[in-house]
Amino acid sequence: QVQLVESGGGLVQAGGSLRLSCAVSGRIVSLNTMGWYRRTPGKQRELVAVITRGGSTNYVDSVKGRFTISRDNAKNTVYLEMNSLKPEDTAVYYCNADVIALGTLGTLWGQGTQVTVSS
């Protein structure tokens, strides 16, 4: 069974930094595009950043210059380095991945990790 497990969330003051990790486990054949999304109460889930297997990236405008997405294909892991955090970055952050695995094909999601930025 394929699982995505996020870690690295927490409470940080405005201007601080956090690094989120998302490790994909299971009988993985290939991981294609991977991404980070976030959801705040009363709002739809928002794309934060995505990265292709080849390393091409895309970000929502509100995090450009502050967040960096990266991946380690050997470890089946995607990261989100978040700097200069703002209170409006407070949300539950979810990773996802386009997965090809034995018995599994499709886009899978992690369980989410809470990021809280205090002012």
Side-chain angles (χ1 to χ4, degrees):
Q1 185 176 358
V2 178
Q3 288 187 313
L4 282 67
V5 179
E6 298 118 335
S7 60
L11 173 64
V12 65
Q13 288 189 329
S17 298
L18 284 174
R19 188 190 195 209
L20 305 183
S21 299
C22 174
V24 185
S25 63
R27 303 174 73 181
I28 305 299
V29 174
S30 178
L31 294 175
N32 296 318
T33 298
M34 304 179 78
W36 288 95
Y37 291 71
R38 64 188 179 188
R39 175 180 282 161
T40 54
K43 294 186 178 181
Q44 288 187 331
R45 188 160 49 193
E46 172 189 44
L47 170 66
V48 177
V50 292
I51 184 168
T52 67
R53 183 170 180 80
S56 297
T57 60
N58 195 24
Y59 299 88
V60 66
D61 285 347
S62 60
V63 308
K64 287 180 179 177
R66 299 188 298 122
F67 290 11
T68 302
I69 189 171
S70 62
R71 63 190 287 170
D72 185 332
N73 290 332
K75 295 182 178 179
N76 293 329
T77 300
V78 62
Y79 306 96
L80 187 67
E81 185 76 31
M82 305 185 293
N83 298 313
S84 302
L85 282 160
K86 304 176 181 180
E88 51 264 43
D89 294 318
T90 295
V92 178
Y93 284 71
Y94 300 88
C95 69
N96 83 344
D98 293 333
V99 176
I100 301 175
L102 297 181
T104 300
L105 176 66
T107 300
L108 301 183
W109 293 86
Q111 80 286 354
T113 185
Q114 176 71 47
V115 171
T116 302
V117 184
S118 63
S119 58

